[in-house]
Amino acid sequence: MKNLFLIILLLFTSHFAKSQQLSPNVTITPMECSSYIPNPLMDKFVGHWKWISGNNSFEMILKKEKTFNIIKDDHSCVDYIIGFHQYIKNGVIIENSLQHQNTNFSQKLKSIFGAGVIPGDILWAGIDNLSTGNNVKMEVEYIDSNHIKIISLKNDQGTKVYFPGETIPSSEITLPQNIILTKQ
């Protein structure tokens, strides 16, 4: 009886898998944006930025990417900032995501995500504090074409829910703030 059940299961599974195959004449095309309004305010933050102080350094690469709006389900597209960073303290690499700099938003390997620029040339972004497992809010101020400043890093306020077995991240912020980065 057990063998009969396995045979039926295998037949059903193979039939189902075959029914999901595409015919050779079907082409898959990426979905088009239903609308797109570019955000030129983000352009000034795009680039390779670095701060160095003795044996400490903080580096980030910021890119602007046109992608589907994650807030709406209407296939509209918007610009987002995605980025990657490296933090070195006392000559030791503490955090590093620069190896993913050639990826895009959909690959989900970014460590920085910015959705907007507010008046006063402030980029609001989130940054993964990789050494603590936490994501913090980051405010970056545009100074001039060669300089930006990380004004603040803050933990999200409010209640967070963690499921059994999940690691609860530290609320400590280990990344440097109130630093000026220079365009490389």
Side-chain angles (χ1 to χ4, degrees), residues 19-177:
S19 70
Q20 298 299 311
Q21 293 176 349
L22 293 173
S23 70
N25 297 329
V26 175
T27 17
I28 299 176
T29 57
M31 287 201 261
E32 298 289 325
C33 298
S34 62
S35 64
Y36 170 61
I37 300 173
N39 187 345
L41 296 175
M42 291 181 169
D43 293 341
K44 59 184 85 176
F45 293 96
V46 172
H48 185 168
W49 304 92
K50 192 168 188 177
W51 164 82
I52 299 174
S53 177
N55 288 334
N56 301 326
S57 68
F58 183 80
E59 185 173 356
M60 62 183 178
I61 296 172
L62 302 177
K63 307 188 297 185
K64 182 172 92 168
E65 186 172 315
K66 173 185 169 183
T67 190
F68 286 114
N69 189 339
I70 60 173
I71 306 297
K72 296 181 179 179
D73 193 23
D74 61 358
H75 298 294
S76 62
C77 289
V78 294
D79 289 329
Y80 291 123
I81 292 285
I82 65 166
F84 312 90
H85 74 281
Q86 180 182 70
Y87 175 43
I88 297 175
K89 185 174 183 178
N90 297 322
V92 176
I93 296 175
I94 305 297
E95 300 186 7
N96 187 15
S97 69
L98 293 181
Q99 70 274 18
H100 302 299
Q101 66 182 297
N102 294 320
T103 64
N104 61 33
F105 177 79
S106 65
Q107 291 171 296
K108 300 179 181 177
L109 296 171
K110 66 194 175 314
S111 60
I112 299 170
F113 176 73
V117 176
I118 62 169
D121 290 333
I122 308 283
L123 171 69
W124 277 6
I127 183 167
D128 294 332
N129 196 351
L130 302 172
S131 58
T132 63
N134 200 4
N135 181 281
V136 296
K137 290 181 180 179
M138 175 173 67
E139 291 183 3
V140 181
E141 179 182 28
Y142 176 81
I143 298 173
D144 59 41
S145 61
N146 290 312
H147 301 93
I148 59 174
K149 180 179 183 178
I150 297 178
I151 310 173
S152 70
L153 299 169
K154 298 175 187 171
N155 285 306
D156 282 331
Q157 294 181 342
T159 304
K160 295 175 178 65
V161 176
Y162 299 101
F163 295 103
E166 284 187 321
T167 304
I168 298 174
S170 168
S171 61
E172 179 185 10
I173 298 174
T174 57
L175 299 170
Q177 53 188 316

